[in-house]
């Protein structure tokens, strides 16, 4: 897409956002199943472009990853376009919290950043490409293309992975032309071509040839014909809908804000624009507002925290979960019983449960934590105290937790690192080497206070700290 076209797009999106305030449905409507569809474009590292110039639709890759982590941790399931089509047309059942991820235009950043992130998380998406903009080689872009687009080879790789669907954003109608009164999107109506205003028949023929060409080329290059057309600037109309269906498209996206229900117009599917400042929580708030869903926002109390990515990842890995009110409670102190349960869940879930009884006088066999404590004690991971207690309700300290966790971590060899925290004398002798290795391997960072590093080994471990440590140590 040219820089001028991208600026025009962002203006159109802004206008639609301003005027397309959703009609509030009744409470009965809010209970109906629905599918939100997110709309992305280009991903680029924050600080390397003027965000306001592009209307806030360019997303930092790190932010995109956090958004995807959040959606997955919050229980959303990405679905295919076929699933969306069958839901809207036939009310076919979908997984809980279905969602569709879309990208428009076909930027190289979709391949470089989005594709690996989605692949890692086991999520799906679809990319609507401007077919004439797709080069055979990255360094052979069309002269008017400012932001590079991925190649056909890269498109085929993504499509073959099953992660990405390649769909159409027209062959070459992503622009504006004059209709002798004003400039309009080229799909919207007759425009001036070669100095003459098209007749209605010429306009229809132009759409037909473009739509057909885009579909045939994608089928030739990818091996599968696209079923979806994303209208440039959301400019579809009844005429374009009929022509799109005539050439084989079964559904179409615009840029009108909203969510999609069974029985909606399959050629007028709604989407939700993701902005460059949106967090995962912000996206779910938009979904809830547009769907009249009064559900809570999951993990609302970790928004924009430095540890957010690790916390969400630990949830996805099945180590942690949130509370019924949607909170994570990052500052909550972890007890020895809770820590034992975390270790059992993170590291022993694939191992046989050792059934030997334990006889700590403060651990009842009826307690919820009896089995995880028995398992980790029988596996030699944690011990009780000399007075035959385990003290399950006592907070576990940072040095205790780190010493246990380092038993499951293979540290890097030959690290030339000076470990000299200001409070090293507070570290128990049995924990010193474990904490040193954790620090050297960037599992813990310590707290910088007046230019000195403090470990605070006797400080109780919080859920936030445990989530970060476990996420770094537990493999996918």
């Amino acid at each position: 897409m040219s820089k001028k076209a991208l600026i025009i797009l962002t203006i159109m999106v802004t206008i639609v956002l301003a005027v397309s305030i959703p009609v509030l449905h009744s409470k009965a409507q809010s209970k109906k199943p629905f599918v939100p569809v997110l709309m992305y474009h280009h991903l680029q590292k924050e600080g390397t472009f003027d965000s306001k110039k592009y209307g806030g639709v360019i997303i930092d890759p790190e932010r995109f990853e956090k958004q995807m982590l959040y959606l997955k941790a919050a229980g959303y399931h990405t679905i295919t376009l076929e699933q969306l089509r069958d839901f809207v047309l036939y009310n076919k059942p979908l997984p809980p919290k279905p969602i569709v991820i879309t990208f428009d235009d076909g930027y190289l950043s979709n391949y470089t950043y989005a594709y690996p992130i989605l692949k890692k998380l086991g999520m799906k998406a679809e990319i609507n490409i401007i077919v004439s903009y797709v080069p055979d080689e990255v360094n052979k872009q069309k002269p008017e293309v400012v932001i590079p687009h991925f190649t056909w080879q890269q498109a085929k790789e993504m499509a073959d992975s099953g992660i990405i669907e390649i769909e159409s954003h027209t062959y070459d109608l992503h622009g504006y032309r004059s209709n002798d009164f004003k400039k309009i999107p080229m799909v919207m109506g007759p425009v001036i071509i070669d100095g003459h205003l098209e007749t209605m028949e010429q306009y229809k023929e132009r759409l037909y040839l473009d739509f057909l060409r885009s579909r045939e080329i994608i089928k030739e290059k990818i091996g599968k014909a696209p079923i979806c057309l994303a209208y440039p600037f959301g400019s579809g109309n009844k005429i374009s809908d009929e022509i799109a269906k005539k050439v084989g498209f079964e559904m179409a996206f615009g840029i009108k804000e909203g969510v999609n229900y069974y029985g909606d117009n399959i050629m007028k599917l709604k989407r939700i624009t993701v902005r460059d400042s949106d967090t995962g929580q912000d996206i779910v708030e938009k979904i809830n507002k547009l769907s009249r869903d009064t559900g809570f926002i999951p993990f609302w109390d970790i928004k924009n925290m430095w540890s957010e990515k690790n916390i969400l990842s630990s949830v996805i890995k099945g180590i942690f979960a949130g509370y019924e009110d949607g909170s994570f409670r990052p500052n909550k102190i972890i007890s020895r019983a809770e820590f034992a349960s975390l270790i059992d869940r993170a590291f022993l879930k694939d191992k046989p449960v050792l059934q030997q009884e334990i006889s700590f006088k403060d651990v009842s066999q009826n307690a919820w934590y009896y089995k995880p404590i028995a398992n980790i004690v029988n596996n030699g991971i944690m011990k009780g105290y000399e007075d035959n207690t385990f003290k399950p309700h006592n907070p576990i300290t940072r040095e205790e937790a780190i010493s246990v966790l380092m038993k499951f971590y293979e540290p890097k060899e030959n690290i030339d690192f000076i470990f000299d925290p200001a409070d090293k004398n507070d570290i128990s002798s049995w924990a010193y080497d474990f904490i040193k290795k954790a620090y050297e391997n960037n599992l813990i960072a310590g707290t910088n206070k007046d230019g000195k590093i403090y470990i605070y080994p006797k400080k109780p471990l919080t859920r936030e700290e445990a989530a970060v440590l476990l996420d770094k140590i537990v493999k996918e």
Side-chain angles (χ1 to χ4, degrees):
M1 180 192 286
S2 67
K3 185 183 292 184
K4 181 178 180 182
L6 184 56
I7 293 172
I8 292 172
L9 170 63
T10 57
I11 293 172
M12 288 291 293
V13 169
T14 302
I15 292 172
V16 170
L17 289 174
V19 301
S20 62
I21 299 173
V23 176
L24 301 184
H25 298 276
S26 67
K27 287 187 177 181
Q29 175 82 32
S30 70
K31 300 299 182 183
K32 292 174 61 178
F34 62 88
V35 179
V37 179
L38 304 185
M39 180 171 64
Y40 289 91
H41 291 84
H42 177 46
L43 305 182
Q44 187 170 327
K45 292 183 179 179
E46 193 171 327
T48 62
F49 60 92
D50 184 349
S51 177
K52 292 182 179 180
K53 182 177 181 180
Y54 293 103
V57 296
I58 298 178
I59 311 297
D60 182 271
E62 177 77 11
R63 181 177 291 273
F64 174 75
E65 183 176 14
K66 287 182 180 179
Q67 291 169 349
M68 295 302 104
L69 280 166
Y70 179 83
L71 291 173
K72 190 173 180 71
Y76 283 88
H77 295 82
T78 52
I79 63 171
T80 65
L81 291 179
E82 286 84 357
Q83 288 176 293
L84 174 61
R85 174 201 63 196
D86 291 347
F87 165 73
V88 172
L89 291 178
Y90 313 117
N91 202 23
K92 286 195 175 181
L94 293 171
K97 290 189 173 182
I99 193 168
V100 176
I101 311 295
T102 72
F103 289 84
D104 280 1
D105 303 336
Y107 296 110
L108 179 59
S109 64
N110 301 165
Y111 174 80
T112 305
Y113 296 119
Y115 172 50
I117 291 169
L118 293 165
K119 188 175 182 179
K120 178 182 177 182
L121 294 174
M123 301 175 74
K124 299 178 183 295
E126 64 98 15
I127 304 176
N128 307 301
I129 61 173
I130 307 171
V131 176
S132 66
Y133 283 22
V134 182
D136 291 321
E137 298 178 34
V138 174
N139 59 356
K140 291 186 178 180
Q141 303 282 337
K142 293 178 70 172
E144 64 267 29
V145 174
V146 175
I147 302 175
H149 289 235
F150 53 72
T151 66
W152 284 116
Q153 182 179 356
Q154 291 165 334
K156 183 76 163 59
E157 176 191 339
M158 291 189 287
D160 288 348
S161 73
I163 301 296
I164 302 293
E165 296 177 77
I166 301 296
E167 304 294 325
S168 176
H169 205 27
T170 74
Y171 175 76
D172 197 23
L173 297 182
H174 198 287
Y176 276 65
R177 287 284 185 94
S178 174
N179 65 356
D180 220 15
F181 294 98
K182 62 179 181 179
K183 287 187 175 182
I184 63 171
M186 294 179 69
V187 173
M188 185 174 286
V191 295
I192 294 176
I193 303 289
D194 296 327
H196 300 282
L197 181 64
E198 294 174 305
T199 64
M200 185 57 68
E201 290 306 311
Q202 289 171 330
Y203 160 63
K204 291 179 180 179
E205 182 181 15
R206 173 167 59 83
L207 294 192
Y208 177 83
L209 293 175
D210 182 283
F211 293 175
L212 181 64
R213 189 175 184 185
S214 78
R215 199 165 184 272
E216 289 180 340
I217 291 176
I218 291 175
K219 182 179 180 181
E220 175 193 346
K221 297 287 189 179
I222 303 301
K224 180 183 177 183
I227 64 170
C228 183
L229 174 65
Y231 285 121
F233 316 110
S235 57
N237 54 42
K238 289 183 179 180
I239 293 172
S240 65
D241 289 348
E242 289 303 315
I243 294 172
K245 288 188 284 188
K246 186 177 181 180
V247 304
F249 289 112
E250 301 177 39
M251 56 203 302
F253 285 124
I255 58 174
K256 184 178 180 180
E257 294 272 304
V259 297
N260 301 285
Y261 295 92
Y262 163 62
D264 281 355
N265 188 339
I266 196 68
M267 303 303 289
K268 303 291 183 193
L269 295 172
K270 303 176 188 68
R271 293 193 282 179
I272 300 171
T273 302
V274 180
R275 319 295 296 190
D276 61 358
S277 59
D278 284 341
T279 63
Q281 291 92 333
D282 293 332
I283 292 173
V284 173
E285 284 180 1
K286 290 182 180 182
I287 293 171
N288 288 354
K289 181 179 179 181
L290 291 166
S291 66
R292 295 289 289 165
D293 190 332
T294 57
F296 60 72
I297 303 299
F299 312 117
W300 50 265
D301 55 347
I302 65 169
K303 184 176 181 178
N304 293 323
M305 291 183 65
W306 68 272
S307 55
E308 181 179 13
K309 185 175 176 180
N310 295 112
I311 291 174
L312 294 173
S313 181
S314 73
V315 172
I316 291 171
K317 291 175 181 177
I319 303 169
F320 274 94
Y323 290 89
E324 290 184 356
D325 64 353
S327 66
F328 183 80
R329 303 179 192 176
N331 297 319
K332 184 178 180 293
I333 301 300
I334 290 182
S335 70
R336 284 172 55 82
E338 290 170 326
F339 186 74
S341 181
L342 289 172
I343 296 300
D344 184 53
R345 191 180 307 135
F347 300 107
L348 303 180
K349 61 182 179 181
D350 296 325
K351 295 183 179 181
V353 176
L354 299 179
Q355 298 292 342
Q356 295 96 320
E357 290 187 3
I358 55 173
S359 56
F360 297 117
K361 58 187 180 183
D362 57 352
V363 179
S364 166
Q365 289 191 8
N366 296 323
W368 68 265
Y369 46 75
Y370 177 82
K371 286 185 178 180
I373 289 177
N375 206 24
I376 65 166
V377 169
N378 288 329
N379 275 283
I381 298 168
M382 290 179 70
K383 298 179 181 179
Y385 293 91
E386 292 181 356
D387 62 354
N388 195 34
T389 62
F390 188 82
K391 298 182 172 50
H393 303 296
N394 281 15
I396 189 162
T397 65
R398 286 165 57 87
E399 67 175 6
E400 288 174 325
I402 292 168
S403 297
V404 170
L405 289 170
M406 290 306 291
K407 296 176 182 179
F408 299 95
Y409 183 75
E410 296 181 7
K412 299 173 184 176
E413 299 295 333
N414 302 319
I415 297 178
D416 185 14
F417 214 93
I418 297 176
F419 180 67
D420 188 29
D423 56 351
K424 64 181 179 182
N425 292 332
D426 294 337
I427 302 174
S428 300
S429 58
W430 51 266
Y432 186 86
D433 286 343
F434 291 120
I435 292 177
K436 181 175 182 290
K437 287 180 182 179
Y439 185 82
E440 291 172 344
N441 285 271
N442 199 34
L443 298 179
I444 60 173
T447 301
N448 192 320
K449 184 177 180 181
D450 299 326
K452 296 180 180 180
I453 299 296
Y454 290 82
I455 300 297
Y456 299 120
K458 302 296 192 292
K459 185 179 178 182
L461 187 75
T462 65
R463 278 171 58 86
E464 175 187 29
E465 293 167 333
V468 172
L469 279 166
L470 283 162
D471 179 53
K472 290 181 177 180
I473 294 173
V474 176
K475 296 180 180 178
E476 298 296 333

